[in-house]
Amino acid sequence: MAMAMAWPSQGAAVETTHGAATKHGDACCTVVELRRYTLHPFKRDVLIDLFERVFVEPQEALGIRVLGTFRDLDAPDRFVWLRGFTDMPARTQALEAFYGGEVWRTHRQAANRTMIDSDDVFLLRPVWQAEGFAAEAALRAVDSVAVPEGFVVAQIRFLPADGFDARVQAFVDDAVPMLRQRGVDVLAVLATEPSPNGYPRLPVREGEHAVVWLVQVKDMKAFARHEAALAADAAWSRLEAALARHATAPPQTLRLQPTPRSRLPRGI
């Protein structure tokens, strides 16, 4: 069963988990950054502690939604996080305010001392999102120590610029229903945002076109079961083969464990 869904623009409807629609103009985020930081050895917990104590609320006060903060299970020195913006002009305004503000000036040296690279950033827009993906949710307390239940997995595929929109649309129409019918809890599908980076002080990946789908799982054993079942599924194998035929770079999989204050995963 295919889902009819137009490529979103400001104010366009986005299909949600239960078939309802939310307007992009009413939703939190029409722009999402997927940020991957490579850190100096043994500095990930230092950065996470600093980030969760001092960087979350000041960003949120400027209209930035800190959607998820994660440890990469396959890279012990990598910190991954997602943040959203209402639109591209709002992104530029919020980043100028945050990185020109007192909080960043006070703590930037401590943050930068943990980092080798912070420029591995996908600038994306939601193409499909489950109900509640970016919904309002109370932030966990600053002194939270318990890690939220569940994990998030990001699957990244790189496609040619030619026909990119149509291929992403076909993926949403075919893959999202297929995954959900097979018990995969899909959070969102995101694709490269084509607008110029309005805040070049923070570089983003350019010259490539990526589609990213986010799923949440109870644990990595559940993810392995899903992967094995999909690998044995003829319909899914055909879809993956079609993606592979057009791929411009090898696929990537990020297995992400939430930090104590992460909004995602939600409702495991």
Side-chain angles (χ1 to χ4, degrees):
M1 180 178 70
M3 279 186 181
M5 192 188 79
W7 185 264
S9 58
Q10 182 67 24
V14 178
E15 196 74 19
T16 64
T17 300
H18 302 296
T22 58
K23 293 221 179 223
H24 261 314
D26 299 330
C28 108
C29 314
T30 67
V31 179
V32 174
E33 294 177 351
L34 171 58
R35 309 187 64 85
R36 302 192 290 184
Y37 294 175
T38 300
L39 308 177
H40 293 288
F42 311 112
K43 293 298 184 182
R44 183 163 68 180
D45 287 348
V46 175
L47 178 60
I48 289 171
D49 176 70
L50 177 65
F51 189 99
E52 297 204 326
R53 281 191 296 106
V54 303
F55 290 147
V56 175
E57 276 81 2
Q59 291 186 82
E60 297 251 333
L62 294 169
I64 301 169
R65 179 68 55 80
V66 180
L67 295 168
T69 46
F70 308 97
R71 294 176 171 88
D72 187 328
L73 292 178
D74 299 305
D77 298 319
R78 183 177 290 150
F79 173 63
V80 180
W81 63 297
L82 291 154
R83 65 179 170 187
F85 307 84
T86 54
D87 53 34
M88 287 296 289
R91 174 181 179 268
T92 299
Q93 183 177 5
L95 295 181
E96 287 175 345
F98 178 71
Y99 291 102
E102 184 62 29
V103 171
W104 180 247
R105 280 196 297 271
T106 300
H107 298 284
R108 66 184 177 187
Q109 290 187 354
N112 288 335
R113 279 196 296 267
T114 69
M115 300 180 193
I116 295 173
D117 175 65
S118 61
D119 295 344
D120 188 353
V121 179
F122 291 93
L123 187 60
L124 306 165
R125 57 179 174 177
V127 183
W128 180 94
Q129 56 189 326
E131 188 174 7
F133 164 65
E136 288 288 351
L139 283 167
R140 294 174 177 88
V142 174
D143 57 356
S144 295
V145 293
V147 174
E149 183 180 2
F151 297 81
V152 171
V153 178
Q155 300 279 11
I156 305 171
R157 301 293 186 269
F158 299 91
L159 297 170
D162 185 33
F164 177 71
D165 290 7
R167 290 191 176 100
V168 172
Q169 179 67 59
F171 180 84
V172 169
D173 289 345
D174 296 336
V176 172
M178 192 183 305
L179 288 168
R180 293 172 62 212
Q181 288 165 5
R182 287 151 178 78
V184 179
D185 192 355
V186 186
L187 287 169
V189 180
L190 308 110
T192 294
E193 165 59 51
S195 302
N197 180 11
Y199 191 72
R201 178 179 167 187
L202 291 186
V204 300
R205 296 172 68 128
E206 297 181 337
E208 60 188 8
H209 291 73
V211 58
V212 180
W213 65 97
L214 305 172
V215 305
Q216 62 180 26
V217 294
K218 183 177 181 179
D219 52 43
M220 285 300 113
K221 289 183 179 179
F223 174 64
R225 288 194 298 271
H226 283 314
E227 289 287 276
L230 289 171
D233 186 310
W236 181 257
S237 295
R238 287 193 295 272
L239 191 149
E240 281 274 41
L243 285 176
R245 280 197 302 274
H246 299 289
T248 58
Q252 298 178 9
T253 299
L254 308 180
R255 303 187 310 145
L256 306 174
Q257 179 185 42
T259 67
R261 302 196 70 196
S262 182
R263 277 194 168 98
L264 297 175
R266 49 107 181 109
I268 291 288

